[in-house]
Amino acid sequence: MRFSIITPNYNGGRFLEQTLASVTAQTDVGLEYIVVDGGSADDSHAIIARHADKIAKTIIEKDTGPANAINKGLAAATGDVLAWLNADDIYYPGALRRVREIFEQRPDAAICFGGCPIVDAQGQEIRAAITRFKESFYPVSSRFTYQCINYLSQPALFFRRSAFEQAGPLREDMTAAWDYEFILRLWRSGGAARVPGGPLAAFRWHEQSISSQHFARQFQEEYEAARADAGRLAPQTLIHFFVRWGIVGIYSLMARRRKSCA
């Protein structure tokens, strides 16, 4: 079982070194690492060059955004299991080996996921309550549950090539929820299996991250994706509608508090 991991990057040099190192350290599995750079003007290219001997493919050309960059990487990937790790996130040691073990145990699973804390620019865990809230849905994980609320963290999610081939590429017309919409399509190809134990990856939250800048639009797009997948009058669509407003309210309050403390 071979992994293809894609890292999209555009001027992400601030955290890119840590991201690349966390992927290339996964030496206990067969790994094809693909880095897609949109023509960065910072020190990204120098950082990528330092890891060139462990990167299978490097694509450097202009793109229209992260979804477009990831689609380029997915089109070039040849592995049995696929995933992407953004240029500010990290894998924990042994993450891919643990994913491989679960996929081998669960041939019916199209998706494999695990824990994923939120960390700040210094790598310290923040918003632990949000992480614990998401994890509370793990025992009842299902496509129905996921249509109700997005409780999976993309950096710690992996999918089989066969599921990707059925789902098709990411939607590039969406602003921030193209990963959620894509995962809903992946789920049509089979079940989702959880990797028990410690976290697989960490999601880094900072002022320039997509979820920080576009959270209201993100949750609107997630609701629209859930409605399209489940049906306009489905109970999970109604649940998602109210969940969305609750989460947006909490995020808006947190944003106001950050501004008042600035």
Side-chain angles (χ1 to χ4, degrees), residues 168-207:
L170 281 67
R171 282 181 51 182
E172 299 180 17
D173 61 321
M174 302 180 79
T175 301
W178 32 265
D179 51 351
Y180 176 73
E181 191 276 339
F182 176 67
I183 294 167
L184 284 171
R185 284 187 278 130
L186 288 174
W187 215 307
R188 299 172 189 172
S189 300
R194 175 191 173 191
V195 180
L200 298 175
F203 164 74
R204 195 185 304 272
W205 189 96
H206 53 93
E207 295 295 339

mmCIF file of all heavy atoms in Angstrom, residues 168-207:
data_model
loop_
_atom_site.group_PDB
_atom_site.id
_atom_site.type_symbol
_atom_site.label_atom_id
_atom_site.label_comp_id
_atom_site.label_asym_id
_atom_site.label_seq_id
_atom_site.Cartn_x
_atom_site.Cartn_y
_atom_site.Cartn_z
ATOM 1 N N GLY A 168 -14.228 12.176 -8.118
ATOM 2 C CA GLY A 168 -13.775 13.239 -8.995
ATOM 3 C C GLY A 168 -13.018 14.309 -8.230
ATOM 4 O O GLY A 168 -12.860 14.231 -7.005
ATOM 5 N N PRO A 169 -12.521 15.337 -8.903
ATOM 6 C CA PRO A 169 -11.660 16.348 -8.275
ATOM 7 C C PRO A 169 -12.421 17.294 -7.357
ATOM 8 O O PRO A 169 -13.659 17.292 -7.302
ATOM 9 C CB PRO A 169 -11.092 17.104 -9.487
ATOM 10 C CG PRO A 169 -12.155 16.964 -10.533
ATOM 11 C CD PRO A 169 -12.720 15.585 -10.349
ATOM 12 N N LEU A 170 -11.658 18.094 -6.630
ATOM 13 C CA LEU A 170 -12.234 19.113 -5.765
ATOM 14 C C LEU A 170 -12.897 20.199 -6.612
ATOM 15 O O LEU A 170 -12.427 20.522 -7.703
ATOM 16 C CB LEU A 170 -11.155 19.757 -4.893
ATOM 17 C CG LEU A 170 -10.672 19.019 -3.655
ATOM 18 C CD1 LEU A 170 -9.927 17.740 -4.012
ATOM 19 C CD2 LEU A 170 -9.762 19.927 -2.813
ATOM 20 N N ARG A 171 -13.948 20.776 -6.055
ATOM 21 C CA ARG A 171 -14.614 21.891 -6.724
ATOM 22 C C ARG A 171 -13.799 23.168 -6.529
ATOM 23 O O ARG A 171 -13.529 23.578 -5.399
ATOM 24 C CB ARG A 171 -16.026 22.080 -6.168
ATOM 25 C CG ARG A 171 -17.027 21.096 -6.708
ATOM 26 C CD ARG A 171 -18.409 21.342 -6.150
ATOM 27 N NE ARG A 171 -18.832 22.733 -6.283
ATOM 28 C CZ ARG A 171 -19.997 23.201 -5.837
ATOM 29 N NH1 ARG A 171 -20.837 22.384 -5.221
ATOM 30 N NH2 ARG A 171 -20.313 24.472 -5.987
ATOM 31 N N GLU A 172 -13.445 23.790 -7.627
ATOM 32 C CA GLU A 172 -12.609 24.988 -7.568
ATOM 33 C C GLU A 172 -13.421 26.278 -7.546
ATOM 34 O O GLU A 172 -12.855 27.370 -7.472
ATOM 35 C CB GLU A 172 -11.637 24.983 -8.746
ATOM 36 C CG GLU A 172 -10.694 23.783 -8.721
ATOM 37 C CD GLU A 172 -9.720 23.742 -9.886
ATOM 38 O OE1 GLU A 172 -9.536 24.795 -10.539
ATOM 39 O OE2 GLU A 172 -9.142 22.671 -10.145
ATOM 40 N N ASP A 173 -14.755 26.156 -7.585
ATOM 41 C CA ASP A 173 -15.606 27.341 -7.538
ATOM 42 C C ASP A 173 -16.013 27.716 -6.119
ATOM 43 O O ASP A 173 -16.693 28.723 -5.915
ATOM 44 C CB ASP A 173 -16.866 27.108 -8.380
ATOM 45 C CG ASP A 173 -17.700 25.938 -7.873
ATOM 46 O OD1 ASP A 173 -17.107 24.916 -7.454
ATOM 47 O OD2 ASP A 173 -18.941 26.036 -7.879
ATOM 48 N N MET A 174 -15.573 26.931 -5.124
ATOM 49 C CA MET A 174 -15.924 27.206 -3.743
ATOM 50 C C MET A 174 -14.798 27.987 -3.070
ATOM 51 O O MET A 174 -13.625 27.856 -3.424
ATOM 52 C CB MET A 174 -16.206 25.905 -2.992
ATOM 53 C CG MET A 174 -17.313 25.071 -3.611
ATOM 54 S SD MET A 174 -17.664 23.529 -2.725
ATOM 55 C CE MET A 174 -18.652 24.150 -1.358
ATOM 56 N N THR A 175 -15.170 28.789 -2.065
ATOM 57 C CA THR A 175 -14.202 29.652 -1.389
ATOM 58 C C THR A 175 -13.441 28.923 -0.294
ATOM 59 O O THR A 175 -12.221 29.043 -0.178
ATOM 60 C CB THR A 175 -14.909 30.876 -0.780
ATOM 61 O OG1 THR A 175 -15.564 31.599 -1.819
ATOM 62 C CG2 THR A 175 -13.913 31.796 -0.063
ATOM 63 N N ALA A 176 -14.167 28.150 0.540
ATOM 64 C CA ALA A 176 -13.524 27.606 1.737
ATOM 65 C C ALA A 176 -13.979 26.207 2.127
ATOM 66 O O ALA A 176 -13.336 25.578 2.969
ATOM 67 C CB ALA A 176 -13.756 28.549 2.919
ATOM 68 N N ALA A 177 -15.055 25.691 1.543
ATOM 69 C CA ALA A 177 -15.587 24.398 1.987
ATOM 70 C C ALA A 177 -15.437 23.316 0.927
ATOM 71 O O ALA A 177 -16.145 22.309 0.964
ATOM 72 C CB ALA A 177 -17.057 24.538 2.385
ATOM 73 N N TRP A 178 -14.490 23.509 0.018
ATOM 74 C CA TRP A 178 -14.303 22.502 -1.022
ATOM 75 C C TRP A 178 -13.846 21.171 -0.446
ATOM 76 O O TRP A 178 -14.121 20.120 -1.025
ATOM 77 C CB TRP A 178 -13.318 22.991 -2.084
ATOM 78 C CG TRP A 178 -12.243 23.905 -1.599
ATOM 79 C CD1 TRP A 178 -12.268 25.270 -1.618
ATOM 80 C CD2 TRP A 178 -10.995 23.549 -1.001
ATOM 81 N NE1 TRP A 178 -11.112 25.772 -1.078
ATOM 82 C CE2 TRP A 178 -10.306 24.741 -0.696
ATOM 83 C CE3 TRP A 178 -10.385 22.324 -0.719
ATOM 84 C CZ2 TRP A 178 -9.051 24.748 -0.107
ATOM 85 C CZ3 TRP A 178 -9.138 22.323 -0.126
ATOM 86 C CH2 TRP A 178 -8.483 23.527 0.173
ATOM 87 N N ASP A 179 -13.180 21.174 0.712
ATOM 88 C CA ASP A 179 -12.768 19.905 1.314
ATOM 89 C C ASP A 179 -13.972 19.158 1.898
ATOM 90 O O ASP A 179 -14.100 17.945 1.735
ATOM 91 C CB ASP A 179 -11.681 20.118 2.370
ATOM 92 C CG ASP A 179 -12.034 21.174 3.398
ATOM 93 O OD1 ASP A 179 -13.052 21.889 3.234
ATOM 94 O OD2 ASP A 179 -11.284 21.297 4.383
ATOM 95 N N TYR A 180 -14.877 19.875 2.567
ATOM 96 C CA TYR A 180 -16.073 19.236 3.130
ATOM 97 C C TYR A 180 -16.949 18.643 2.022
ATOM 98 O O TYR A 180 -17.390 17.490 2.114
ATOM 99 C CB TYR A 180 -16.866 20.263 3.932
ATOM 100 C CG TYR A 180 -18.170 19.746 4.487
ATOM 101 C CD1 TYR A 180 -18.196 18.856 5.563
ATOM 102 C CD2 TYR A 180 -19.390 20.143 3.943
ATOM 103 C CE1 TYR A 180 -19.393 18.376 6.067
ATOM 104 C CE2 TYR A 180 -20.592 19.682 4.452
ATOM 105 C CZ TYR A 180 -20.592 18.792 5.511
ATOM 106 O OH TYR A 180 -21.779 18.314 6.011
ATOM 107 N N GLU A 181 -17.172 19.402 0.973
ATOM 108 C CA GLU A 181 -17.986 18.917 -0.142
ATOM 109 C C GLU A 181 -17.352 17.703 -0.790
ATOM 110 O O GLU A 181 -18.038 16.738 -1.150
ATOM 111 C CB GLU A 181 -18.175 20.059 -1.147
ATOM 112 C CG GLU A 181 -19.209 19.794 -2.231
ATOM 113 C CD GLU A 181 -18.670 19.010 -3.420
ATOM 114 O OE1 GLU A 181 -17.426 18.990 -3.624
ATOM 115 O OE2 GLU A 181 -19.490 18.423 -4.153
ATOM 116 N N PHE A 182 -16.031 17.717 -0.914
ATOM 117 C CA PHE A 182 -15.296 16.597 -1.498
ATOM 118 C C PHE A 182 -15.413 15.350 -0.632
ATOM 119 O O PHE A 182 -15.637 14.242 -1.138
ATOM 120 C CB PHE A 182 -13.830 17.011 -1.655
ATOM 121 C CG PHE A 182 -12.921 15.935 -2.170
ATOM 122 C CD1 PHE A 182 -13.034 15.453 -3.459
ATOM 123 C CD2 PHE A 182 -11.909 15.423 -1.359
ATOM 124 C CE1 PHE A 182 -12.170 14.468 -3.941
ATOM 125 C CE2 PHE A 182 -11.048 14.452 -1.826
ATOM 126 C CZ PHE A 182 -11.176 13.971 -3.120
ATOM 127 N N ILE A 183 -15.297 15.503 0.678
ATOM 128 C CA ILE A 183 -15.394 14.358 1.595
ATOM 129 C C ILE A 183 -16.787 13.747 1.540
ATOM 130 O O ILE A 183 -16.944 12.517 1.608
ATOM 131 C CB ILE A 183 -15.011 14.780 3.020
ATOM 132 C CG1 ILE A 183 -13.529 15.175 3.068
ATOM 133 C CG2 ILE A 183 -15.278 13.646 4.019
ATOM 134 C CD1 ILE A 183 -13.113 15.891 4.341
ATOM 135 N N LEU A 184 -17.818 14.568 1.404
ATOM 136 C CA LEU A 184 -19.175 14.033 1.248
ATOM 137 C C LEU A 184 -19.256 13.125 0.024
ATOM 138 O O LEU A 184 -19.896 12.061 0.065
ATOM 139 C CB LEU A 184 -20.181 15.176 1.116
ATOM 140 C CG LEU A 184 -20.558 15.924 2.401
ATOM 141 C CD1 LEU A 184 -21.384 17.167 2.066
ATOM 142 C CD2 LEU A 184 -21.325 15.024 3.367
ATOM 143 N N ARG A 185 -18.606 13.512 -1.058
ATOM 144 C CA ARG A 185 -18.615 12.672 -2.265
ATOM 145 C C ARG A 185 -17.791 11.410 -2.069
ATOM 146 O O ARG A 185 -18.168 10.329 -2.540
ATOM 147 C CB ARG A 185 -18.098 13.480 -3.460
ATOM 148 C CG ARG A 185 -19.112 14.477 -3.998
ATOM 149 C CD ARG A 185 -18.631 15.132 -5.271
ATOM 150 N NE ARG A 185 -17.710 16.241 -5.013
ATOM 151 C CZ ARG A 185 -16.533 16.387 -5.600
ATOM 152 N NH1 ARG A 185 -16.091 15.474 -6.451
ATOM 153 N NH2 ARG A 185 -15.775 17.430 -5.344
ATOM 154 N N LEU A 186 -16.668 11.519 -1.379
ATOM 155 C CA LEU A 186 -15.857 10.334 -1.098
ATOM 156 C C LEU A 186 -16.653 9.303 -0.313
ATOM 157 O O LEU A 186 -16.518 8.092 -0.534
ATOM 158 C CB LEU A 186 -14.616 10.729 -0.296
ATOM 159 C CG LEU A 186 -13.505 11.500 -0.994
ATOM 160 C CD1 LEU A 186 -12.443 11.903 0.024
ATOM 161 C CD2 LEU A 186 -12.858 10.656 -2.102
ATOM 162 N N TRP A 187 -17.480 9.776 0.619
ATOM 163 C CA TRP A 187 -18.211 8.880 1.515
ATOM 164 C C TRP A 187 -19.199 7.998 0.768
ATOM 165 O O TRP A 187 -19.639 6.961 1.259
ATOM 166 C CB TRP A 187 -18.941 9.711 2.577
ATOM 167 C CG TRP A 187 -18.995 9.047 3.922
ATOM 168 C CD1 TRP A 187 -19.456 7.790 4.195
ATOM 169 C CD2 TRP A 187 -18.565 9.593 5.173
ATOM 170 N NE1 TRP A 187 -19.361 7.523 5.538
ATOM 171 C CE2 TRP A 187 -18.809 8.617 6.161
ATOM 172 C CE3 TRP A 187 -18.022 10.817 5.551
ATOM 173 C CZ2 TRP A 187 -18.516 8.836 7.508
ATOM 174 C CZ3 TRP A 187 -17.725 11.027 6.887
ATOM 175 C CH2 TRP A 187 -17.969 10.040 7.848
ATOM 176 N N ARG A 188 -19.568 8.384 -0.440
ATOM 177 C CA ARG A 188 -20.501 7.563 -1.224
ATOM 178 C C ARG A 188 -19.869 6.251 -1.681
ATOM 179 O O ARG A 188 -20.572 5.322 -2.071
ATOM 180 C CB ARG A 188 -20.966 8.343 -2.454
ATOM 181 C CG ARG A 188 -21.712 9.638 -2.139
ATOM 182 C CD ARG A 188 -21.966 10.452 -3.393
ATOM 183 N NE ARG A 188 -22.493 11.774 -3.095
ATOM 184 C CZ ARG A 188 -22.657 12.741 -3.996
ATOM 185 N NH1 ARG A 188 -22.322 12.505 -5.261
ATOM 186 N NH2 ARG A 188 -23.133 13.917 -3.637
ATOM 187 N N SER A 189 -18.534 6.170 -1.613
ATOM 188 C CA SER A 189 -17.827 4.995 -2.119
ATOM 189 C C SER A 189 -17.585 3.931 -1.061
ATOM 190 O O SER A 189 -17.066 2.860 -1.371
ATOM 191 C CB SER A 189 -16.479 5.416 -2.721
ATOM 192 O OG SER A 189 -16.675 6.318 -3.780
ATOM 193 N N GLY A 190 -17.926 4.215 0.192
ATOM 194 C CA GLY A 190 -17.688 3.259 1.265
ATOM 195 C C GLY A 190 -17.715 3.932 2.612
ATOM 196 O O GLY A 190 -17.978 5.132 2.723
ATOM 197 N N GLY A 191 -17.401 3.176 3.648
ATOM 198 C CA GLY A 191 -17.444 3.699 4.999
ATOM 199 C C GLY A 191 -16.222 4.518 5.361
ATOM 200 O O GLY A 191 -15.305 4.704 4.571
ATOM 201 N N ALA A 192 -16.235 5.007 6.600
ATOM 202 C CA ALA A 192 -15.102 5.757 7.144
ATOM 203 C C ALA A 192 -14.617 5.040 8.397
ATOM 204 O O ALA A 192 -15.412 4.676 9.264
ATOM 205 C CB ALA A 192 -15.518 7.190 7.477
ATOM 206 N N ALA A 193 -13.326 4.832 8.492
ATOM 207 C CA ALA A 193 -12.733 4.117 9.621
ATOM 208 C C ALA A 193 -11.872 5.069 10.434
ATOM 209 O O ALA A 193 -11.099 5.856 9.877
ATOM 210 C CB ALA A 193 -11.889 2.945 9.129
ATOM 211 N N ARG A 194 -11.994 4.983 11.739
ATOM 212 C CA ARG A 194 -11.220 5.848 12.625
ATOM 213 C C ARG A 194 -9.911 5.171 13.026
ATOM 214 O O ARG A 194 -9.874 3.957 13.268
ATOM 215 C CB ARG A 194 -12.031 6.164 13.870
ATOM 216 C CG ARG A 194 -11.278 6.970 14.915
ATOM 217 C CD ARG A 194 -12.034 7.009 16.216
ATOM 218 N NE ARG A 194 -11.246 7.646 17.272
ATOM 219 C CZ ARG A 194 -11.576 7.634 18.556
ATOM 220 N NH1 ARG A 194 -12.683 7.023 18.945
ATOM 221 N NH2 ARG A 194 -10.807 8.238 19.441
ATOM 222 N N VAL A 195 -8.856 5.952 13.100
ATOM 223 C CA VAL A 195 -7.575 5.483 13.626
ATOM 224 C C VAL A 195 -7.551 5.800 15.122
ATOM 225 O O VAL A 195 -7.539 6.965 15.503
ATOM 226 C CB VAL A 195 -6.387 6.176 12.933
ATOM 227 C CG1 VAL A 195 -5.069 5.674 13.513
ATOM 228 C CG2 VAL A 195 -6.438 5.926 11.430
ATOM 229 N N PRO A 196 -7.558 4.796 15.976
ATOM 230 C CA PRO A 196 -7.580 5.052 17.421
ATOM 231 C C PRO A 196 -6.228 5.554 17.921
ATOM 232 O O PRO A 196 -5.218 5.490 17.220
ATOM 233 C CB PRO A 196 -7.908 3.682 18.013
ATOM 234 C CG PRO A 196 -7.365 2.706 17.009
ATOM 235 C CD PRO A 196 -7.565 3.354 15.664
ATOM 236 N N GLY A 197 -6.227 6.034 19.147
ATOM 237 C CA GLY A 197 -4.977 6.489 19.755
ATOM 238 C C GLY A 197 -4.759 7.974 19.575
ATOM 239 O O GLY A 197 -5.693 8.749 19.362
ATOM 240 N N GLY A 198 -3.508 8.380 19.658
ATOM 241 C CA GLY A 198 -3.152 9.791 19.569
ATOM 242 C C GLY A 198 -3.441 10.391 18.212
ATOM 243 O O GLY A 198 -3.778 9.692 17.260
ATOM 244 N N PRO A 199 -3.306 11.718 18.094
ATOM 245 C CA PRO A 199 -3.625 12.400 16.841
ATOM 246 C C PRO A 199 -2.696 12.023 15.704
ATOM 247 O O PRO A 199 -1.544 11.648 15.917
ATOM 248 C CB PRO A 199 -3.486 13.879 17.205
ATOM 249 C CG PRO A 199 -2.549 13.903 18.370
ATOM 250 C CD PRO A 199 -2.843 12.650 19.139
ATOM 251 N N LEU A 200 -3.222 12.136 14.494
ATOM 252 C CA LEU A 200 -2.441 11.875 13.283
ATOM 253 C C LEU A 200 -1.758 13.142 12.771
ATOM 254 O O LEU A 200 -0.670 13.086 12.214
ATOM 255 C CB LEU A 200 -3.344 11.329 12.177
ATOM 256 C CG LEU A 200 -4.052 10.000 12.417
ATOM 257 C CD1 LEU A 200 -5.002 9.696 11.264
ATOM 258 C CD2 LEU A 200 -3.045 8.873 12.599
ATOM 259 N N ALA A 201 -2.424 14.263 12.941
ATOM 260 C CA ALA A 201 -1.950 15.518 12.369
ATOM 261 C C ALA A 201 -2.356 16.671 13.272
ATOM 262 O O ALA A 201 -3.138 16.501 14.211
ATOM 263 C CB ALA A 201 -2.531 15.709 10.964
ATOM 264 N N ALA A 202 -1.827 17.843 12.967
ATOM 265 C CA ALA A 202 -2.218 19.063 13.660
ATOM 266 C C ALA A 202 -2.596 20.110 12.628
ATOM 267 O O ALA A 202 -1.906 20.273 11.611
ATOM 268 C CB ALA A 202 -1.099 19.582 14.552
ATOM 269 N N PHE A 203 -3.689 20.794 12.897
ATOM 270 C CA PHE A 203 -4.144 21.901 12.048
ATOM 271 C C PHE A 203 -3.665 23.202 12.670
ATOM 272 O O PHE A 203 -3.936 23.467 13.838
ATOM 273 C CB PHE A 203 -5.664 21.895 11.934
ATOM 274 C CG PHE A 203 -6.247 23.179 11.406
ATOM 275 C CD1 PHE A 203 -6.136 23.489 10.064
ATOM 276 C CD2 PHE A 203 -6.892 24.073 12.247
ATOM 277 C CE1 PHE A 203 -6.657 24.673 9.571
ATOM 278 C CE2 PHE A 203 -7.417 25.258 11.763
ATOM 279 C CZ PHE A 203 -7.302 25.563 10.426
ATOM 280 N N ARG A 204 -2.957 24.012 11.888
ATOM 281 C CA ARG A 204 -2.417 25.259 12.429
ATOM 282 C C ARG A 204 -3.367 26.421 12.110
ATOM 283 O O ARG A 204 -3.650 26.707 10.960
ATOM 284 C CB ARG A 204 -1.035 25.556 11.856
ATOM 285 C CG ARG A 204 -0.296 26.640 12.657
ATOM 286 C CD ARG A 204 1.023 26.998 11.994
ATOM 287 N NE ARG A 204 1.902 25.875 11.794
ATOM 288 C CZ ARG A 204 2.805 25.435 12.698
ATOM 289 N NH1 ARG A 204 2.889 26.028 13.870
ATOM 290 N NH2 ARG A 204 3.586 24.410 12.404
ATOM 291 N N TRP A 205 -3.813 27.069 13.187
ATOM 292 C CA TRP A 205 -4.666 28.244 13.027
ATOM 293 C C TRP A 205 -3.817 29.497 13.196
ATOM 294 O O TRP A 205 -3.075 29.644 14.168
ATOM 295 C CB TRP A 205 -5.775 28.255 14.073
ATOM 296 C CG TRP A 205 -6.800 29.332 13.821
ATOM 297 C CD1 TRP A 205 -7.984 29.197 13.169
ATOM 298 C CD2 TRP A 205 -6.706 30.713 14.199
ATOM 299 N NE1 TRP A 205 -8.630 30.390 13.104
ATOM 300 C CE2 TRP A 205 -7.863 31.354 13.731
ATOM 301 C CE3 TRP A 205 -5.745 31.463 14.874
ATOM 302 C CZ2 TRP A 205 -8.100 32.712 13.928
ATOM 303 C CZ3 TRP A 205 -5.968 32.817 15.060
ATOM 304 C CH2 TRP A 205 -7.141 33.425 14.601
ATOM 305 N N HIS A 206 -3.927 30.408 12.219
ATOM 306 C CA HIS A 206 -3.260 31.700 12.328
ATOM 307 C C HIS A 206 -4.070 32.704 11.526
ATOM 308 O O HIS A 206 -5.030 32.352 10.828
ATOM 309 C CB HIS A 206 -1.807 31.618 11.827
ATOM 310 C CG HIS A 206 -1.654 31.046 10.457
ATOM 311 N ND1 HIS A 206 -1.612 31.807 9.314
ATOM 312 C CD2 HIS A 206 -1.539 29.757 10.052
ATOM 313 C CE1 HIS A 206 -1.471 31.037 8.256
ATOM 314 N NE2 HIS A 206 -1.425 29.773 8.678
ATOM 315 N N GLU A 207 -3.723 33.960 11.611
ATOM 316 C CA GLU A 207 -4.537 35.026 11.035
ATOM 317 C C GLU A 207 -4.691 34.931 9.526
ATOM 318 O O GLU A 207 -5.660 35.431 8.960
ATOM 319 C CB GLU A 207 -3.935 36.392 11.402
ATOM 320 C CG GLU A 207 -3.972 36.712 12.894
ATOM 321 C CD GLU A 207 -5.380 36.866 13.435
ATOM 322 O OE1 GLU A 207 -6.308 37.128 12.634
ATOM 323 O OE2 GLU A 207 -5.566 36.710 14.657
#
